[in-house]
Coordinates of all heavy atoms in Angstrom, one line a residue:
M1 N 0.8 -1.1 0.0 CA 0.0 0.0 0.0 C 0.9 1.3 0.0 O 1.9 1.3 0.7 CB -0.8 0.0 1.2 CG -2.2 -0.5 1.2 SD -3.2 -0.2 2.6 CE -4.7 0.1 1.9
T2 N 0.4 2.3 -0.7 CA 1.1 3.5 -0.7 C 0.8 4.4 0.4 O -0.1 4.0 1.2 CB 0.8 4.3 -2.1 OG1 -0.6 4.7 -1.9 CG2 1.0 3.5 -3.2
T3 N 1.5 5.3 0.8 CA 1.4 6.1 1.9 C 0.1 6.9 1.8 O -0.6 7.0 2.9 CB 2.6 7.3 2.0 OG1 3.9 6.6 2.0 CG2 2.5 8.1 3.2
R4 N -0.2 7.2 0.6 CA -1.6 7.9 0.4 C -2.7 7.1 0.7 O -3.7 7.5 1.4 CB -1.6 8.4 -1.0 CG -2.9 9.2 -1.4 CD -2.8 9.8 -2.7 NE -3.9 10.6 -3.0 CZ -5.0 10.2 -3.7 NH1 -5.2 9.0 -4.0 NH2 -6.1 11.0 -3.8
N5 N -2.6 5.8 0.3 CA -3.8 4.9 0.6 C -3.9 4.6 2.2 O -4.9 4.5 2.6 CB -3.5 3.6 -0.2 CG -3.8 3.7 -1.7 OD1 -4.4 4.7 -2.0 ND2 -3.3 2.8 -2.4
L6 N -2.7 4.6 2.8 CA -2.7 4.3 4.2 C -3.4 5.5 4.9 O -4.1 5.4 6.0 CB -1.3 4.2 4.7 CG -0.6 2.8 4.5 CD1 0.7 2.7 4.9 CD2 -1.4 1.6 5.2
K7 N -3.0 6.8 4.5 CA -3.6 8.1 5.0 C -5.1 8.0 4.8 O -5.9 8.4 5.8 CB -3.0 9.3 4.5 CG -1.5 9.5 5.0 CD -1.1 10.8 4.4 CE 0.5 11.0 4.8 NZ 0.9 12.3 4.1
I8 N -5.5 7.7 3.7 CA -7.0 7.6 3.4 C -7.7 6.5 4.3 O -8.7 6.8 4.9 CB -7.2 7.3 1.9 CG1 -6.8 8.5 1.1 CG2 -8.8 7.0 1.6 CD1 -6.9 8.3 -0.5
A9 N -7.1 5.3 4.4 CA -7.6 4.3 5.2 C -7.7 4.7 6.7 O -8.7 4.5 7.4 CB -6.9 3.0 5.1
A10 N -6.7 5.4 7.2 CA -6.6 5.9 8.5 C -7.7 6.9 8.8 O -8.3 7.0 9.9 CB -5.3 6.5 8.9
L11 N -7.8 7.8 7.9 CA -8.8 8.9 8.0 C -10.3 8.3 7.9 O -11.1 8.7 8.7 CB -8.7 9.9 6.8 CG -9.5 11.1 6.8 CD1 -9.5 11.9 8.0 CD2 -9.4 12.0 5.6
T12 N -10.5 7.4 7.1 CA -11.7 6.8 7.1 C -12.2 5.9 8.3 O -13.2 6.1 8.8 CB -11.9 5.6 5.9 OG1 -11.5 6.3 4.7 CG2 -13.2 5.0 5.7
L13 N -11.1 5.3 8.9 CA -11.3 4.6 10.2 C -11.6 5.6 11.3 O -12.4 5.5 12.1 CB -10.1 3.7 10.4 CG -10.1 3.0 11.7 CD1 -11.2 2.0 11.8 CD2 -8.7 2.2 12.1
A14 N -10.8 6.7 11.3 CA -11.0 7.7 12.4 C -12.4 8.4 12.3 O -13.0 8.5 13.3 CB -9.9 8.8 12.3
T15 N -12.7 8.6 11.1 CA -14.2 9.2 10.8 C -15.2 8.3 11.3 O -16.1 8.7 11.9 CB -14.4 9.5 9.4 OG1 -13.2 10.5 9.0 CG2 -15.7 10.3 9.1
S16 N -15.1 7.1 11.0 CA -16.1 6.1 11.3 C -16.2 5.9 12.8 O -17.3 5.6 13.5 CB -15.9 4.7 10.6 OG -14.8 4.1 11.0
L17 N -15.1 6.0 13.5 CA -15.1 5.9 15.0 C -15.7 7.1 15.7 O -16.3 6.9 16.8 CB -13.7 5.7 15.5 CG -13.0 4.4 15.2 CD1 -11.5 4.4 15.5 CD2 -13.7 3.2 15.8
V18 N -15.8 8.2 15.0 CA -16.4 9.3 15.6 C -17.9 9.4 15.2 O -18.7 9.7 16.0 CB -15.7 10.6 15.1 CG1 -16.4 11.9 15.5 CG2 -14.2 10.8 15.7
V19 N -18.2 9.1 14.0 CA -19.5 9.2 13.4 C -20.5 8.0 13.9 O -21.6 8.3 14.2 CB -19.5 9.2 11.9 CG1 -21.0 9.0 11.3 CG2 -18.9 10.5 11.4
L20 N -20.0 6.8 13.9 CA -20.8 5.7 14.4 C -21.4 5.9 15.8 O -22.6 5.7 16.0 CB -20.0 4.4 14.2 CG -19.8 3.9 12.9 CD1 -19.1 2.6 12.8 CD2 -21.2 3.6 12.2
P21 N -20.6 6.4 16.8 CA -21.3 6.5 18.1 C -22.3 7.5 18.1 O -23.3 7.5 18.9 CB -19.9 6.8 19.0 CG -18.7 6.2 18.3 CD -19.1 6.3 16.9
L22 N -22.1 8.6 17.4 CA -23.1 9.6 17.3 C -24.2 9.3 16.7 O -25.4 9.5 17.1 CB -22.4 10.9 16.5 CG -21.4 11.6 17.2 CD1 -20.8 12.8 16.4 CD2 -21.7 12.2 18.6
G23 N -24.2 8.4 15.6 CA -25.5 7.8 15.0 C -26.1 6.9 15.9 O -27.3 7.0 16.0
G24 N -25.4 6.2 16.9 CA -26.0 5.3 17.7 C -26.9 6.2 18.8 O -28.0 5.8 19.2
V25 N -26.2 7.3 19.1 CA -26.9 8.1 20.2 C -28.2 8.7 19.5 O -29.2 8.6 20.1 CB -26.1 9.3 20.7 CG1 -26.9 10.2 21.4 CG2 -24.9 8.7 21.4
A26 N -28.2 9.1 18.3 CA -29.2 9.7 17.6 C -30.4 8.5 17.4 O -31.5 8.8 17.7 CB -29.0 10.1 16.3
L27 N -30.0 7.3 17.1 CA -31.0 6.2 17.1 C -31.6 6.0 18.5 O -32.8 5.6 18.5 CB -30.2 5.0 16.6 CG -29.9 5.0 14.9 CD1 -29.2 3.8 14.5 CD2 -31.2 5.2 14.2
A28 N -30.8 6.0 19.4 CA -31.2 5.6 20.8 C -32.3 6.6 21.2 O -33.3 6.2 21.9 CB -30.1 5.5 21.8
Q29 N -32.1 7.9 20.9 CA -33.1 8.8 21.2 C -34.4 8.8 20.5 O -35.4 8.9 21.0 CB -32.6 10.4 20.9 CG -31.4 10.7 21.8 CD -30.7 11.9 21.3 OE1 -31.0 12.5 20.2 NE2 -29.8 12.5 22.2
N30 N -34.3 8.2 19.3 CA -35.5 8.0 18.6 C -36.2 6.7 18.8 O -37.4 6.5 18.4 CB -35.3 8.2 17.0 CG -34.8 9.5 16.6 OD1 -35.3 10.4 17.2 ND2 -34.1 9.5 15.6
A31 N -35.7 5.9 19.4 CA -36.1 4.5 19.7 C -36.9 4.4 21.1 O -37.1 3.4 21.6 CB -35.1 3.6 19.7
A32 N -37.5 5.5 21.6 CA -38.1 5.5 22.8 C -39.4 4.7 22.6 O -40.1 4.8 21.6 CB -38.5 7.0 23.3
P33 N -39.8 3.9 23.5 CA -41.0 3.1 23.5 C -42.3 3.9 23.4 O -42.4 4.9 24.1 CB -41.0 2.2 24.7 CG -40.1 2.8 25.6 CD -39.2 3.7 24.9
A34 N -43.2 3.5 22.5 CA -44.5 4.2 22.3 C -45.3 3.9 23.4 O -45.5 2.6 23.6 CB -45.0 4.1 21.1
T35 N -46.0 4.9 24.0 CA -47.1 4.6 24.8 C -48.5 4.7 24.1 O -48.7 5.6 23.4 CB -47.1 5.4 26.1 OG1 -47.1 6.8 25.6 CG2 -45.9 5.3 26.9
P36 N -49.4 3.8 24.5 CA -50.7 3.8 23.8 C -51.5 5.0 24.1 O -52.1 5.0 25.2 CB -51.3 2.5 24.0 CG -50.7 2.1 25.4 CD -49.4 2.7 25.4
A37 N -51.7 5.9 23.2 CA -52.6 7.1 23.3 C -52.6 7.7 24.7 O -53.5 7.9 25.4 CB -53.8 6.6 23.0
A38 N -51.3 8.1 25.2 CA -51.2 8.7 26.5 C -51.7 10.1 26.4 O -51.5 10.9 25.4 CB -49.8 8.7 26.8
T39 N -52.4 10.6 27.4 CA -52.9 11.9 27.6 C -51.9 12.6 28.3 O -51.1 12.3 29.1 CB -54.1 12.1 28.5 OG1 -55.1 10.9 28.0 CG2 -54.7 13.3 28.5
P40 N -51.4 14.0 27.6 CA -50.5 14.8 28.2 C -50.7 15.1 29.7 O -51.9 15.3 30.1 CB -50.5 16.1 27.4 CG -51.3 15.8 26.2 CD -52.2 14.5 26.5
A41 N -49.7 15.0 30.5 CA -49.8 15.2 32.0 C -50.2 16.8 32.2 O -49.7 17.7 31.4 CB -48.4 15.0 32.6
L42 N -51.0 17.0 33.1 CA -51.5 18.4 33.5 C -50.8 18.7 34.8 O -50.5 17.8 35.6 CB -52.8 18.3 33.7 CG -53.8 18.1 32.4 CD1 -55.3 17.9 32.9 CD2 -53.6 19.4 31.5
P43 N -50.6 19.9 35.0 CA -50.1 20.4 36.4 C -51.1 19.9 37.4 O -52.3 19.9 37.2 CB -50.2 21.9 36.2 CG -50.2 22.2 34.8 CD -50.8 21.1 34.1
Q44 N -50.6 19.6 38.5 CA -51.3 19.0 39.7 C -52.7 20.0 40.0 O -52.4 21.1 40.2 CB -50.5 18.9 40.9 CG -51.2 18.1 42.0 CD -51.4 16.6 41.6 OE1 -50.7 16.1 40.8 NE2 -52.1 15.9 42.4
G45 N -53.8 19.3 39.9 CA -55.0 20.2 40.4 C -55.5 21.0 39.2 O -56.6 21.6 39.4
Q46 N -55.0 21.0 38.1 CA -55.6 21.9 36.9 C -56.6 21.0 36.2 O -56.4 19.8 35.9 CB -54.5 22.2 35.9 CG -53.4 23.1 36.5 CD -54.0 24.6 36.8 OE1 -55.0 25.1 36.0 NE2 -53.7 25.2 37.8
P47 N -57.9 21.6 36.0 CA -58.9 20.9 35.3 C -58.6 20.7 33.7 O -57.9 21.6 33.3 CB -60.1 21.6 35.5 CG -59.6 22.9 35.8 CD -58.3 22.8 36.4
M48 N -58.9 19.6 33.2 CA -58.7 19.4 31.7 C -59.7 20.4 30.8 O -60.8 20.5 31.4 CB -59.0 17.9 31.3 CG -58.0 16.9 31.8 SD -58.4 15.3 31.1 CE -57.6 14.3 32.3
G49 N -59.4 20.5 29.7 CA -60.3 21.3 28.8 C -61.1 20.2 28.1 O -60.9 18.9 28.2
M50 N -62.1 20.6 27.4 CA -63.0 19.7 26.6 C -62.3 18.9 25.6 O -62.5 17.7 25.6 CB -64.1 20.4 25.9 CG -65.2 21.0 26.8 SD -66.5 21.7 25.9 CE -67.5 22.4 27.3
T51 N -61.3 19.5 24.9 CA -60.5 18.7 23.9 C -59.6 17.6 24.7 O -59.6 16.5 24.2 CB -59.7 19.6 23.1 OG1 -58.8 20.3 23.9 CG2 -60.5 20.4 22.2
Q52 N -59.1 17.9 25.8 CA -58.4 17.0 26.6 C -59.3 15.9 27.0 O -58.7 14.7 27.1 CB -57.6 17.5 27.7 CG -56.5 18.5 27.2 CD -55.9 19.3 28.4 OE1 -56.7 19.9 29.1 NE2 -54.5 19.2 28.5
I53 N -60.5 16.2 27.6 CA -61.4 15.1 28.0 C -61.8 14.1 26.8 O -61.7 12.9 26.9 CB -62.6 15.7 28.5 CG1 -62.3 16.4 29.9 CG2 -63.9 14.7 28.7 CD1 -62.0 15.4 31.0
I54 N -62.0 14.8 25.6 CA -62.4 14.0 24.4 C -61.1 13.1 24.0 O -61.3 12.0 23.7 CB -62.8 14.9 23.3 CG1 -64.0 15.6 23.4 CG2 -62.8 14.1 21.9 CD1 -64.4 16.8 22.5
D55 N -60.0 13.6 24.0 CA -58.7 12.9 23.6 C -58.7 11.7 24.7 O -58.3 10.6 24.3 CB -57.5 13.8 23.6 CG -57.5 14.7 22.5 OD1 -58.2 14.4 21.6 OD2 -56.7 15.6 22.5
H56 N -58.8 12.1 26.0 CA -58.6 10.9 27.1 C -59.6 9.9 26.9 O -59.3 8.7 26.9 CB -58.7 11.7 28.4 CG -58.6 10.8 29.5 ND1 -57.5 10.2 30.0 CD2 -59.6 10.3 30.5 CE1 -57.6 9.5 30.9 NE2 -58.9 9.5 31.4
L57 N -61.0 10.2 26.6 CA -61.9 9.1 26.4 C -61.7 8.3 25.1 O -62.0 7.2 25.2 CB -63.3 9.8 26.5 CG -63.8 10.4 27.8 CD1 -65.1 11.1 27.6 CD2 -63.8 9.3 28.8
S58 N -61.2 9.1 24.1 CA -60.9 8.3 22.9 C -59.8 7.3 23.0 O -60.0 6.2 22.6 CB -60.4 9.2 21.7 OG -61.5 10.1 21.4
A59 N -58.8 7.7 23.9 CA -57.8 6.7 24.2 C -58.3 5.5 25.0 O -57.7 4.4 25.1 CB -56.8 7.5 25.0
K60 N -59.3 5.8 25.6 CA -59.9 4.6 26.5 C -60.9 3.8 25.7 O -61.6 2.9 26.2 CB -60.7 5.2 27.8 CG -59.7 5.7 28.8 CD -60.4 6.1 30.0 CE -59.7 6.4 31.2 NZ -59.3 5.1 31.9
G61 N -61.1 4.1 24.4 CA -61.9 3.2 23.6 C -63.3 3.8 23.3 O -64.2 3.2 22.6
Y62 N -63.7 5.0 23.8 CA -65.0 5.6 23.4 C -65.0 6.3 22.1 O -63.9 6.9 21.7 CB -65.4 6.6 24.6 CG -65.6 5.9 26.0 CD1 -64.8 5.7 26.8 CD2 -67.0 5.4 26.2 CE1 -65.0 5.1 28.1 CE2 -67.2 4.8 27.4 CZ -66.2 4.6 28.3 OH -66.5 4.0 29.5
S63 N -66.1 6.4 21.4 CA -66.2 7.0 20.1 C -67.5 7.7 20.1 O -68.2 7.7 21.0 CB -66.1 5.9 19.0 OG -67.2 5.0 19.1
E64 N -67.7 8.4 19.0 CA -68.8 9.4 18.8 C -69.1 10.2 20.0 O -70.1 10.2 20.5 CB -70.0 8.5 18.5 CG -69.9 7.8 17.0 CD -71.2 7.1 16.6 OE1 -72.3 7.6 17.0 OE2 -71.0 6.1 16.0
I65 N -68.1 10.8 20.6 CA -68.1 11.5 21.8 C -68.9 12.8 21.4 O -68.5 13.5 20.6 CB -66.8 11.8 22.3 CG1 -66.1 10.5 22.7 CG2 -66.8 12.7 23.5 CD1 -64.6 10.5 23.0
R66 N -69.9 13.1 22.1 CA -70.7 14.2 21.7 C -71.4 14.7 23.1 O -71.3 14.2 24.1 CB -71.9 13.9 20.8 CG -72.8 12.8 21.4 CD -73.7 12.2 20.3 NE -74.8 11.3 20.9 CZ -74.6 10.2 21.6 NH1 -73.4 9.7 21.6 NH2 -75.6 9.4 22.0
E67 N -72.0 15.9 23.1 CA -72.5 16.5 24.2 C -71.6 16.5 25.4 O -72.0 16.0 26.5 CB -73.9 15.9 24.6 CG -75.1 16.0 23.5 CD -76.3 15.5 23.8 OE1 -76.7 15.6 25.0 OE2 -76.8 14.8 23.0
V68 N -70.5 17.0 25.2 CA -69.5 17.3 26.4 C -69.9 18.5 27.1 O -69.9 19.6 26.5 CB -68.0 17.3 25.8 CG1 -67.1 17.6 27.0 CG2 -67.7 16.2 25.0
E69 N -70.5 18.3 28.3 CA -71.0 19.5 29.1 C -70.2 19.5 30.4 O -70.2 18.7 31.2 CB -72.4 19.2 29.3 CG -73.1 20.3 30.1 CD -74.7 20.1 30.3 OE1 -75.2 19.3 29.6 OE2 -75.2 20.7 31.2
R70 N -69.6 20.8 30.6 CA -68.9 21.0 32.0 C -70.2 21.2 32.9 O -70.9 22.1 32.9 CB -68.0 22.3 31.8 CG -67.2 22.4 33.1 CD -66.4 23.6 33.0 NE -65.2 23.4 32.1 CZ -64.0 22.9 32.4 NH1 -63.9 22.6 33.7 NH2 -63.0 22.7 31.7
K71 N -70.1 20.4 34.0 CA -71.2 20.6 35.0 C -70.6 21.4 36.1 O -71.4 22.0 36.8 CB -71.4 19.1 35.6 CG -72.2 18.3 34.7 CD -73.6 19.0 34.5 CE -74.5 18.0 33.9 NZ -75.8 18.8 33.6
S72 N -69.3 21.4 36.4 CA -68.6 22.3 37.3 C -67.2 22.3 37.0 O -66.7 21.8 36.0 CB -68.8 21.8 38.8 OG -68.1 20.5 39.0
D73 N -66.3 23.0 37.8 CA -64.9 22.9 37.5 C -64.3 21.6 37.8 O -63.2 21.4 37.4 CB -64.2 24.1 38.3 CG -64.2 23.9 39.7 OD1 -65.1 23.2 40.3 OD2 -63.2 24.3 40.5
K74 N -65.1 20.8 38.3 CA -64.6 19.4 38.7 C -65.2 18.2 37.7 O -64.7 17.1 37.8 CB -64.8 19.1 40.0 CG -64.0 20.0 41.0 CD -64.3 19.6 42.4 CE -63.6 20.7 43.4 NZ -63.9 20.5 44.9
L75 N -66.3 18.6 37.3 CA -67.0 17.4 36.5 C -67.4 17.8 35.0 O -67.8 18.9 34.7 CB -68.3 17.0 37.1 CG -68.1 16.5 38.7 CD1 -69.5 16.3 39.3 CD2 -67.4 15.2 38.6
F76 N -67.3 16.8 34.3 CA -67.9 16.8 32.8 C -68.9 15.8 32.7 O -68.7 14.6 33.2 CB -66.8 16.6 31.8 CG -66.0 17.7 31.5 CD1 -64.7 17.8 32.0 CD2 -66.4 18.6 30.6 CE1 -63.9 18.9 31.7 CE2 -65.5 19.8 30.2 CZ -64.2 19.9 30.7
E77 N -70.0 16.0 32.0 CA -71.0 15.0 31.6 C -70.8 14.7 30.2 O -70.7 15.7 29.3 CB -72.4 15.4 31.9 CG -73.4 14.4 31.7 CD -74.8 14.9 32.0 OE1 -75.2 14.7 33.2 OE2 -75.5 15.3 31.0
V78 N -70.7 13.5 29.6 CA -70.3 13.2 28.2 C -71.2 12.2 27.8 O -71.4 11.2 28.5 CB -68.8 12.7 28.2 CG1 -68.4 12.5 26.7 CG2 -67.9 13.8 28.8
K79 N -71.7 12.4 26.5 CA -72.4 11.3 25.9 C -71.6 10.7 24.9 O -71.0 11.4 24.0 CB -73.7 11.7 25.4 CG -74.7 12.1 26.5 CD -76.1 12.3 26.1 CE -77.0 12.7 27.3 NZ -78.3 12.8 26.8
A80 N -71.4 9.3 24.8 CA -70.7 8.7 23.8 C -70.9 7.3 23.5 O -71.9 6.8 24.1 CB -69.1 8.8 24.3
R81 N -70.2 6.7 22.7 CA -70.3 5.2 22.5 C -69.2 4.3 23.0 O -67.9 4.9 22.8 CB -70.6 4.8 21.2 CG -71.9 5.4 20.5 CD -72.2 4.8 19.1 NE -73.4 5.4 18.6 CZ -74.6 4.8 18.8 NH1 -74.8 3.5 19.4 NH2 -75.7 5.4 18.3
D82 N -69.5 3.2 23.8 CA -68.3 2.3 24.2 C -67.7 1.6 22.9 O -68.1 1.7 21.8 CB -68.7 1.6 25.3 CG -69.8 0.5 25.1 OD1 -70.0 0.2 23.8 OD2 -70.4 0.1 26.0
S83 N -66.8 0.8 23.4 CA -66.0 0.0 22.3 C -66.9 -1.1 21.6 O -66.6 -1.5 20.5 CB -64.8 -0.8 22.9 OG -65.2 -1.6 24.0
Q84 N -68.1 -1.3 22.3 CA -69.0 -2.4 21.6 C -70.1 -1.5 20.9 O -71.0 -2.1 20.3 CB -69.7 -3.2 22.7 CG -68.8 -4.2 23.3 CD -67.9 -3.7 24.4 OE1 -68.2 -2.9 25.1 NE2 -66.6 -4.3 24.3
G85 N -70.2 -0.1 20.9 CA -71.0 0.6 20.1 C -72.2 1.0 20.9 O -73.1 1.7 20.3
A86 N -72.4 0.7 22.2 CA -73.4 1.0 23.1 C -73.5 2.5 23.5 O -72.2 3.0 23.7 CB -73.6 0.2 24.3
R87 N -74.6 3.1 23.5 CA -74.5 4.5 24.0 C -74.4 4.5 25.4 O -74.8 3.8 26.2 CB -75.9 5.1 23.6 CG -76.0 5.4 22.2 CD -77.4 6.1 22.0 NE -77.4 6.6 20.6 CZ -78.4 7.3 20.1 NH1 -79.4 7.7 20.9 NH2 -78.4 7.7 18.8
R88 N -73.4 5.5 25.9 CA -73.1 5.7 27.3 C -73.2 7.1 27.7 O -73.1 8.0 27.0 CB -71.7 5.2 27.7 CG -71.4 3.8 27.1 CD -72.2 2.8 27.5 NE -72.1 2.5 29.1 CZ -72.8 1.5 29.7 NH1 -73.4 0.8 29.0 NH2 -72.5 1.5 30.9
E89 N -73.6 7.2 28.9 CA -73.6 8.6 29.7 C -72.5 8.6 30.7 O -72.8 7.8 31.6 CB -75.0 9.1 30.3 CG -74.9 10.4 30.7 CD -76.3 11.0 31.1 OE1 -77.3 10.8 30.3 OE2 -76.4 11.3 32.4
L90 N -71.5 9.4 30.6 CA -70.2 9.3 31.4 C -70.3 10.5 32.3 O -70.6 11.7 31.9 CB -69.0 9.2 30.6 CG -69.1 8.2 29.7 CD1 -67.8 8.3 28.9 CD2 -69.1 6.8 30.4
L91 N -69.8 10.5 33.4 CA -69.5 11.6 34.5 C -68.0 11.4 34.6 O -67.5 10.5 35.2 CB -70.3 11.4 35.8 CG -70.3 12.7 36.6 CD1 -71.0 13.8 35.8 CD2 -71.1 12.5 37.9
V92 N -67.3 12.4 34.3 CA -65.9 12.4 34.2 C -65.2 13.4 35.1 O -65.5 14.7 35.0 CB -65.3 12.5 32.8 CG1 -63.7 12.4 32.6 CG2 -66.0 11.6 31.8
D93 N -64.2 13.0 35.9 CA -63.5 14.0 36.8 C -62.7 14.8 35.9 O -61.9 14.4 35.2 CB -62.6 13.2 37.8 CG -61.9 14.1 38.8 OD1 -61.1 14.9 38.2 OD2 -62.1 14.0 40.0
A94 N -62.9 16.1 36.0 CA -62.1 17.0 35.1 C -60.7 17.2 35.3 O -59.9 17.5 34.5 CB -62.8 18.5 35.1
R95 N -60.2 16.8 36.6 CA -58.7 16.9 36.8 C -58.0 15.7 36.6 O -56.8 15.7 36.0 CB -58.7 17.2 38.4 CG -59.3 18.5 38.7 CD -59.2 19.0 40.1 NE -60.0 20.0 40.6 CZ -59.8 21.3 40.3 NH1 -58.7 21.7 39.7 NH2 -60.6 22.2 40.8
S96 N -58.6 14.5 36.9 CA -57.9 13.2 36.7 C -58.3 12.5 35.4 O -57.6 11.6 34.9 CB -58.1 12.2 37.8 OG -59.4 11.9 37.8
G97 N -59.5 12.8 34.9 CA -60.0 12.0 33.7 C -60.7 10.8 34.1 O -61.1 9.9 33.3
E98 N -60.8 10.5 35.4 CA -61.3 9.1 35.9 C -62.8 9.3 35.6 O -63.5 10.3 35.7 CB -61.2 9.2 37.5 CG -61.8 7.9 38.1 CD -61.7 7.8 39.5 OE1 -60.9 8.7 40.1 OE2 -62.3 6.9 40.2
I99 N -63.4 8.0 35.2 CA -64.8 8.0 34.8 C -65.5 7.6 36.2 O -65.2 6.6 36.7 CB -65.0 7.0 33.8 CG1 -64.4 7.5 32.5 CG2 -66.5 6.8 33.6 CD1 -64.4 6.3 31.4
L100 N -66.3 8.5 36.7 CA -67.0 8.3 38.0 C -68.3 7.6 37.8 O -68.8 7.1 38.8 CB -67.2 9.7 38.7 CG -65.8 10.6 38.8 CD1 -66.3 12.1 39.3 CD2 -64.9 10.0 39.8
K101 N -69.0 7.8 36.6 CA -70.2 7.2 36.5 C -70.3 6.8 34.9 O -69.8 7.5 34.1 CB -71.4 8.1 36.8 CG -72.7 7.5 36.6 CD -73.9 8.5 37.1 CE -74.2 9.3 35.7 NZ -75.3 10.1 35.9
D102 N -70.7 5.6 34.7 CA -70.8 5.1 33.4 C -72.2 4.3 33.3 O -72.3 3.2 33.7 CB -69.6 4.2 33.0 CG -69.7 3.7 31.5 OD1 -70.7 3.9 30.8 OD2 -68.6 3.1 31.2
E103 N -73.1 5.0 32.7 CA -74.4 4.4 32.5 C -74.9 4.2 31.1 O -74.5 5.0 30.2 CB -75.6 5.4 33.2 CG -75.4 5.5 34.7 CD -76.5 6.3 35.4 OE1 -77.1 7.2 34.6 OE2 -76.7 6.3 36.6
R104 N -75.8 3.3 30.9 CA -76.2 3.0 29.4 C -77.2 4.3 29.2 O -78.0 4.7 30.0 CB -77.1 1.8 29.4 CG -77.5 1.5 28.0 CD -77.9 0.0 27.9 NE -78.1 -0.4 26.6 CZ -77.2 -1.0 25.8 NH1 -75.9 -1.1 26.2 NH2 -77.4 -1.3 24.6
D105 N -77.0 4.9 28.0 CA -77.9 6.0 27.6 C -79.1 5.6 26.9 O -79.2 4.9 26.1 CB -77.0 7.0 26.9 CG -77.6 8.4 26.5 OD1 -78.6 8.8 27.3 OD2 -77.5 9.0 25.5

């Protein structure tokens, strides 16, 4: 091998030793496990808005969400369909998203 070829080989090896670990870091950052339809975390004690309640219930399998009515700063009343298609009337905690009442509508 000529001196020029050795320099090119050494430069290629040095570059790959620098670039490969950086590429691995970038891949590791993009490879975070996906969580199924997670609702964004809210500051402690802050009530959700109507769109957040709709997103939260959709993630739980409810569809055709309609008549979202704020009953107080702590409660929403929602009419929707469950995963089997049955009409449901829900009472939802505005702060936690917990379903407090689930009745057939």
Side-chain angles (χ1 to χ4, degrees):
M1 267 187 138
T2 66
T3 305
R4 183 173 185 267
N5 289 344
L6 285 174
K7 286 181 183 178
I8 292 172
L11 182 59
T12 303
L13 178 61
T15 303
S16 65
L17 291 175
V18 171
V19 172
L20 286 177
L22 293 176
V25 170
L27 289 175
Q29 290 173 350
N30 291 333
T35 57
T39 306
L42 293 171
Q44 192 70 17
Q46 293 292 321
M48 292 185 201
M50 286 188 185
T51 55
Q52 289 172 308
I53 289 291
I54 291 168
D55 291 344
H56 180 73
L57 292 174
S58 293
K60 289 186 169 278
Y62 291 92
S63 62
E64 294 184 36
I65 298 168
R66 62 194 189 290
E67 296 185 43
V68 179
E69 183 181 341
R70 185 181 287 273
K71 290 299 203 179
S72 69
D73 65 331
K74 297 179 184 177
L75 295 173
F76 280 99
E77 184 178 272
V78 181
K79 292 189 179 182
R81 291 191 183 267
D82 64 16
S83 58
Q84 287 77 38
R87 289 182 169 188
R88 309 303 294 180
E89 184 174 309
L90 309 170
L91 195 59
V92 182
D93 184 299
R95 297 179 197 284
S96 69
E98 179 184 356
I99 298 171
L100 304 173
K101 181 179 87 171
D102 183 351
E103 294 181 340
R104 191 166 188 89
D105 186 30

